[in-house]
Amino acid sequence: MKVASKVAITALSSMLMLGSSSINLMAEAAPSRASSNITVKTAAVKTGLISEGEKLVEAERDKINKLLQENPHDSYILYVSSELKKEKDSIPEGSISFSEVSFMGSPRSQSFDTYEDYLKRASALKEAVPQQPADLPEGYRLTKADIYSVFTPKDLAAIKAEAKKLGKQVYSKKMNMIKSDHISLTYTKGQDFINIASFHWDENDLEEYKKKKEKEYSYSSHEGRNYVSWREDGKSFQVETNKNNPLTKEELIMLAKTVVKK
């Protein structure tokens, strides 16, 4: 075979090989471009869904803020479903996901400057609450009064059930606080103090709580504090003083008997 013919055949073979490679590369690239297009479109759809969810939340917040302008002392709970927030982790049973709920308006913990202001709010609760002792020792004055409202997993379950019934992933409701989680009144005289407090038992400890007798006053002294504790009307109550407080065990128990308002 002539040299020229060999060169021509070699060149043609190379062209055919390159052509085949180009075809293969184009065929392989096509699915990648299609896949990329699908990914971009999917991301756009997801972004749209998230934006729509944010719009629903902001609209509900705006509604609550308008209501709070008329009644600034009201409290509202805003619920946003975990599905809308794209949460992947499940919430343990009996727990509250605070990513699902937020509170607006009057805070769940409230402090009061005067006993009169405290008593006005405490009297609206549907439960027994601490009050100033009938025979408060001379020289003591109120320096702090706090009410912490309760919000339990049962409350969250009720909110979620209402939202589901109405077919809403974003839902708000005015909170009617009729029970406290913790109440504390602190009286001071120089370096001495008397703290009167009430607590709600955790549901997990409720059975143990029920075994305790009503108005069985128990005195103890530990960790630099003196305590008288008891249960009354479904709650735990406690009178606490500093270690070196001159009030005796008998005097603290006498105080304890007059610090519950029903």
Side-chain angles (χ1 to χ4, degrees):
M1 185 179 292
K2 295 181 179 180
V3 174
S5 299
K6 287 184 178 181
V7 171
I9 292 171
T10 302
L12 180 60
S13 298
S14 299
M15 290 176 64
L16 288 173
M17 289 177 65
L18 287 172
S20 176
S21 300
S22 300
I23 292 169
N24 288 337
L25 288 171
M26 290 176 65
E28 290 174 2
S32 298
R33 286 196 295 270
S35 177
S36 298
N37 290 338
I38 292 171
T39 302
V40 171
K41 289 180 180 179
T42 303
V45 170
K46 286 184 178 179
T47 303
L49 287 174
I50 293 171
S51 298
E52 186 63 28
E54 290 173 347
K55 288 178 183 177
L56 290 172
V57 173
E58 287 306 311
E60 201 68 21
R61 286 185 181 277
D62 290 342
K63 184 180 80 171
I64 295 172
N65 284 325
K66 288 179 182 177
L67 293 170
L68 289 173
Q69 287 178 1
E70 299 176 6
N71 298 287
H73 296 296
D74 287 345
S75 298
Y76 287 84
I77 180 170
L78 175 62
Y79 164 73
V80 181
S81 72
S82 58
E83 290 81 6
L84 191 65
K85 294 177 73 65
K86 307 295 188 217
E87 287 189 354
K88 294 181 180 179
D89 298 328
S90 60
I91 306 303
E93 186 177 351
S95 300
I96 295 174
S97 168
F98 284 101
S99 63
E100 287 184 294
V101 295
S102 57
F103 301 91
M104 297 179 65
S106 182
R108 289 192 300 146
S109 60
Q110 296 176 283
S111 297
F112 305 88
D113 295 326
T114 67
Y115 179 70
E116 290 71 25
D117 287 341
Y118 157 76
L119 195 60
K120 182 179 179 180
R121 179 67 185 94
S123 297
L125 299 174
K126 306 298 182 183
E127 62 180 6
V129 297
Q131 66 178 0
Q132 184 169 296
D135 296 313
L136 182 68
E138 186 178 353
Y140 281 89
R141 64 184 184 87
L142 181 72
T143 53
K144 193 174 183 182
D146 298 301
I147 297 177
Y148 300 88
S149 301
V150 63
F151 186 78
T152 68
K154 281 188 177 181
D155 296 322
L156 176 59
I159 292 290
K160 293 174 75 170
E162 290 178 24
K164 184 177 180 180
K165 185 176 180 180
L166 295 170
K168 293 186 175 183
Q169 289 185 305
V170 178
Y171 179 62
S172 65
K173 184 177 181 179
K174 180 180 176 181
M175 299 181 70
N176 183 23
M177 290 297 188
I178 59 173
K179 285 188 176 182
S180 67
D181 183 42
H182 170 54
I183 297 178
S184 174
L185 299 176
T186 302
Y187 294 85
T188 58
K189 177 185 176 182
Q191 298 298 313
D192 295 326
F193 73 84
I194 301 172
N195 177 260
I196 304 163
S198 69
F199 309 86
H200 271 287
W201 278 64
D202 186 276
E203 291 184 10
N204 296 329
D205 301 321
L206 196 55
E207 290 304 316
E208 184 66 26
Y209 169 79
K210 289 178 179 178
K211 295 177 183 178
K212 297 179 179 289
K213 294 181 180 179
E214 288 272 327
K215 297 184 180 180
E216 186 175 66
Y217 301 97
S218 174
Y219 177 84
S220 63
S221 181
H222 55 88
E223 296 182 358
R225 298 285 190 271
N226 304 316
Y227 302 91
V228 171
S229 57
W230 71 101
R231 62 171 290 228
E232 189 168 346
D233 280 14
K235 294 177 65 175
S236 291
F237 287 85
Q238 174 181 281
V239 174
E240 174 190 354
T241 66
N242 52 294
K243 182 70 173 179
N244 297 321
N245 196 298
L247 292 172
T248 66
K249 170 184 175 181
E250 291 72 22
E251 289 173 323
L252 286 180
I253 292 176
M254 288 297 295
L255 282 179
K257 292 180 177 179
T258 66
V259 301
V260 179
K261 175 180 171 56
K262 301 180 180 179

